[in-house]
Amino acid sequence: MRMGMAIDLARCVGCQTCAISCKQANNTPSGNWWNRVLTVGGQEMDTGALAEDFRDSTLSYLPFACQHCENPACVRVCPVGATYKREEDGVVFQDYDKCIGCRMCMAACPYTGVRSFNWEDPQFYRDFPLGDAGVPTHQKHTVEKCTFCSHRLAAGEEPACMVLCPLRARYWGDLDDPASEVCRQIASREHKQLLPERGTRPAVYYLM
Amino acid sequence: MTETTMGATGSPEALPALVPDAQKDLADKPKDAQQVFGRGFSLALVIAAVIAAAGLVLWGVQLTQGLVLSNMRNLTSWGFYITNFMFLVGLSAGGLIISSAPKVFGIKGFGGIAKIAIWTSVCATVLAIAFVVVDLGQPLRLWELFAYSNLSSPLMWDIIVLTVYLIVSVVYLWATLRTEAGKGSPLALRALSVIALIAAILVHSVTAWIFGLQIGHDLWYTALLAPWFVSSALVCGLALVLVVVMGLKKAGYLVLAQENIIKMVKLLGIFVMVDLYFFGCDLLTAGFPGAEGAAVVAMLTTGALAPFFWIELVSCAAVAIIAFVPSLRTNTLVVIASALAILAIFCKRVQLLVGGFQLPNIDLAGPATGPGLTDMGAATQAMGGAMVYFPSPLEFGLTLGVFGLGALMLLAGLRFLPLKPVDKD
């Protein structure tokens, strides 16, 4: 079994709801965003690719988080095995208790900015913890990132970013099972993966 | 080890040097300990110790308040510490290579400066390890490196090789001292020098592989990186030995024939040319296809890292001129050339580290992305610079502290270890 996701770029409107639901479900510290919706072109996240003639300008988005690669650069380089690929479902996982904070994984990962480091004692916007039960406690000076909401997978649920997407732009399932929703979407649609030339073989597909 | 070295000081060979010579001989005989290690030397030792202690305090501050005090952020996850780590591994490897290579190939060395070269390289290795440790978020979990070693990680290879290398250097120094005292076998020393040479080349190759095996960064991912690191190590390692030896010569700690200095300066010139040749090869390979690599070349030559690129190039050219024009090989210019060579390699390290993070693969605007993520990146851009990273005051302070530790080690070694060249060497 290898869990994966397909994201329909034609549907995504850049509302950032998945980014917020990720942040809530995982109670990520202030300033850490495991899942972000990037804006294609433009200098700011609210400006698209502006053209000379405004009619040629475009506004499109790229929801972006850990790609849970089949051949992850981060797993290869972690000196203590704190980041590893789970045999049972192919999820690339991070063990906060083991992480020595060397940040080698951040340097090795080709997907800019999907890994976050807690540069100080985790701070939160609320005095009380948000997030689901079973989310590991965030630790100072350790690296963290999207886990495909492993705590939700353990409870038989889908990742949090799937659930709240108002446009139903995300598909989830087992990439090894041709009958799964995600495989059927990939099979029927034109799609791409990010940075295929780096040979990481991501588990996240983008439908065009 | 201490007992042995003390014994060597008292050995018959070393004794004459301690007896004050007549005034007329003073110019070409080393001065005695009282003259060399006067009040100024003790003061330097104390200052180095104070700086090292201050560094320790700053490390405590960094650990309690967090690495947030550095200017490293998620998009520039390594900074000044790792730059210095690369730089010091180079200084160390270079020193050991030039001290062991003559012994390995049975050729004449550089007038008995081998022990000093080994000692500078031991000091540099300790500092390199110190820089990795201060960069770590969780230094108390260091033991995991040995308990859960992931042998596919170049960082793990480096930790193993660095440890072995430090031990080999210390043993090599000890064996050299023993052999000089007439106790060890010269054959064993030569075998040890082979091991030391291999370890020195390996330690810098493995350090290069931490970067050079990362397909995620266009600047780093090149097969040339390991040999190039070795050539850079030779440049700055030899230059450091030259600076130290010239300083010691001036202080009257040792006497060194001019021919040895000239030999080293010529060698420095050759190493610089090899290093520049590798740089040229790399730039051409990156830039020629006009693909992704062209952005790397532009970044180095005219972009954000251009100041470091051009300082390196001009310094290397100056070193080559001083090294290859016989009339320019005066003591002052030799020291200047060595300092420029060290500066050039430091600039190369900055280009390599910051340059690796300068060009993001996914360069799209969004929450928590772009230069906004690095406070100092935004600040330097406001001032007209373009680097995504610039060290914070804490990083400068802590780095100075680590170098203070190095100065302390170097000076203490000169004072308490018998590193002075012996006549028969």
Side-chain angles (χ1 to χ4, degrees):
Chain A
M1 191 164 66
R2 181 166 179 250
M3 301 314 285
M5 195 179 273
I7 303 172
D8 192 338
L9 295 182
R11 282 195 183 181
C12 178
V13 294
C15 67
Q16 304 282 352
T17 308
C18 56
I20 300 291
S21 62
C22 163
K23 198 155 177 39
Q24 279 190 341
N26 292 289
N27 192 33
T28 54
S30 308
N32 277 7
W33 293 83
W34 291 357
N35 179 31
R36 296 168 297 152
V37 182
L38 306 179
T39 308
V40 177
Q43 296 294 308
E44 307 287 338
M45 59 183 278
D46 295 328
T47 60
L50 298 175
E52 287 277 309
D53 184 341
F54 74 94
R55 284 166 296 193
D56 296 333
S57 299
T58 59
L59 193 55
S60 56
Y61 299 94
L62 184 80
F64 186 51
C66 174
Q67 303 285 303
H68 294 276
C69 308
E70 195 181 340
N71 178 30
C74 53
V75 169
R76 223 171 259 272
V77 299
C78 177
V80 294
T83 184
Y84 60 95
K85 194 154 75 86
R86 293 203 306 211
E87 286 299 322
E88 66 270 25
D89 56 6
V91 171
V92 176
F93 203 72
Q94 181 81 18
D95 184 343
Y96 306 159
D97 290 330
K98 229 177 184 185
C99 176
I100 60 170
C102 68
R103 310 189 293 291
M104 181 79 221
C105 54
M106 301 177 82
C109 175
Y111 300 98
T112 315
V114 297
R115 286 180 165 265
S116 327
F117 186 69
N118 287 318
W119 298 95
E120 58 186 328
D121 262 326
Q123 313 278 317
F124 299 94
Y125 296 116
R126 293 278 166 240
D127 298 336
F128 48 88
L130 296 167
D132 305 336
V135 169
T137 310
H138 300 276
Q139 293 183 21
K140 176 183 166 183
H141 287 176
T142 58
V143 176
E144 50 183 52
K145 65 167 196 73
C146 160
T147 64
F148 267 163
C149 280
S150 288
H151 61 286
R152 293 176 58 94
L153 299 187
E157 295 173 303
E158 295 180 330
C161 57
M162 297 282 311
V163 182
L164 287 182
C165 178
L167 287 115
R168 299 285 182 267
R170 288 171 183 262
Y171 301 94
W172 171 254
D174 182 2
L175 293 171
D176 289 339
D177 174 11
S180 68
E181 178 72 22
V182 67
C183 281
R184 279 187 287 135
Q185 289 295 334
I186 294 166
S188 65
R189 297 276 302 272
E190 194 191 333
H191 60 264
K192 67 170 181 185
Q193 287 176 299
L194 294 181
L195 309 177
E197 72 279 9
R198 312 281 167 169
T200 50
R201 301 196 293 280
V204 178
Y205 290 77
Y206 292 91
L207 308 173
M208 314 291 280
Chain B
M1 158 123 203
T2 319
E3 276 82 4
T4 321
T5 52
M6 288 307 176
T9 318
S11 70
E13 286 91 343
L15 263 181
L18 296 172
V19 180
D21 286 288
Q23 283 297 325
K24 64 180 170 63
D25 291 337
L26 213 55
D28 52 355
K29 283 271 193 313
K31 297 180 196 163
D32 65 37
Q34 256 87 38
Q35 283 172 295
V36 178
F37 303 116
R39 194 169 290 171
F41 188 88
S42 309
L43 190 66
L45 209 63
V46 170
I47 291 173
V50 169
I51 292 174
L56 214 55
V57 172
L58 285 179
W59 188 33
V61 171
Q62 176 183 286
L63 283 176
T64 47
Q65 297 189 34
L67 278 159
V68 70
L69 293 177
S70 78
N71 275 333
M72 295 182 277
R73 290 297 180 268
N74 289 344
L75 296 193
T76 47
S77 48
W78 281 338
F80 204 39
Y81 302 146
I82 298 296
T83 307
N84 279 295
F85 159 69
M86 276 194 267
F87 177 61
L88 279 152
V89 173
L91 283 178
S92 155
L96 204 67
I97 291 170
I98 66 141
S99 61
S100 59
K103 187 124 234 146
V104 171
F105 298 111
I107 48 179
K108 222 163 154 273
F110 305 100
I113 54 114
K115 286 171 291 178
I116 292 166
I118 302 171
W119 183 244
T120 60
S121 103
V122 168
C123 295
T125 313
V126 171
L127 294 205
I129 294 171
F131 273 114
V132 178
V133 172
V134 299
D135 185 71
L136 275 190
Q138 299 281 356
L140 288 177
R141 295 183 187 171
L142 264 175
W143 60 272
E144 290 184 8
L145 288 169
F146 305 97
Y148 306 129
S149 316
N150 173 18
L151 293 178
S152 77
S153 166
L155 195 63
M156 193 65 228
W157 307 343
D158 208 29
I159 284 150
I160 295 169
V161 173
L162 262 178
T163 312
V164 170
Y165 175 70
L166 183 60
I167 295 168
V168 166
S169 323
V170 171
V171 171
Y172 183 44
L173 180 60
W174 172 78
T176 307
L177 293 173
R178 256 181 76 89
T179 311
E180 276 181 7
K183 285 179 206 149
S185 97
L187 189 68
L189 183 64
R190 192 159 174 189
L192 206 53
S193 69
V194 174
I195 297 171
L197 181 60
I198 294 170
I201 292 172
L202 211 56
V203 78
H204 217 37
S205 302
V206 174
T207 303
W209 290 331
I210 291 180
F211 303 89
L213 299 181
Q214 305 316 324
I215 196 170
H217 296 264
D218 291 325
L219 178 69
W220 296 347
Y221 190 61
T222 160
L224 190 60
L225 211 61
W228 190 5
F229 261 56
V230 174
S231 75
S232 300
L234 287 169
V235 172
C236 64
L238 177 56
L240 177 69
V241 171
L242 259 173
V243 169
V244 170
V245 165
M246 296 297 274
L248 292 177
K249 191 174 168 232
K250 179 120 174 112
Y253 178 87
L254 53 76
V255 170
L256 194 62
Q258 195 64 19
E259 59 170 43
N260 286 313
I261 294 169
I262 287 171
K263 212 155 69 171
M264 280 193 274
V265 174
K266 279 184 185 166
L267 208 51
L268 183 65
I270 294 167
F271 291 158
V272 162
M273 296 316 284
V274 172
D275 205 52
L276 283 181
Y277 169 67
F278 282 163
F279 207 166
C281 291
D282 195 64
L283 284 178
L284 187 62
T285 310
F288 183 79
E292 266 101 18
V296 169
V297 176
M299 167 184 75
L300 293 179
T301 53
T302 55
L305 291 157
F308 294 94
F309 175 86
W310 291 108
I311 289 173
E312 181 192 348
L313 242 57
V314 171
S315 304
C316 282
V319 174
I321 291 169
I322 293 171
F324 295 138
V325 179
S327 60
L328 292 179
R329 292 179 202 138
T330 63
N331 285 353
T332 318
L333 281 178
V334 165
V335 172
I336 289 175
S338 305
L340 282 177
I342 295 173
L343 174 73
I345 299 305
F346 187 77
C347 286
K348 147 128 249 69
R349 298 291 171 244
V350 173
Q351 291 166 59
L352 202 78
L353 190 116
V354 180
F357 295 109
Q358 187 81 30
L359 301 170
N361 292 329
I362 306 280
D363 192 13
L364 300 175
T369 42
L373 209 60
T374 52
D375 319 345
M376 204 61 197
T380 48
Q381 281 183 353
M383 291 189 302
M387 285 209 297
V388 289
Y389 164 82
F390 194 83
S392 72
L394 177 97
E395 286 173 277
F396 278 120
L398 190 37
T399 299
L400 186 67
V402 176
F403 277 108
L405 173 70
L408 182 64
M409 278 186 69
L410 188 64
L411 295 176
L414 292 172
R415 180 73 184 85
F416 300 112
L417 294 174
L419 302 175
K420 219 175 266 200
V422 176
D423 284 343
K424 67 171 184 176
D425 191 86

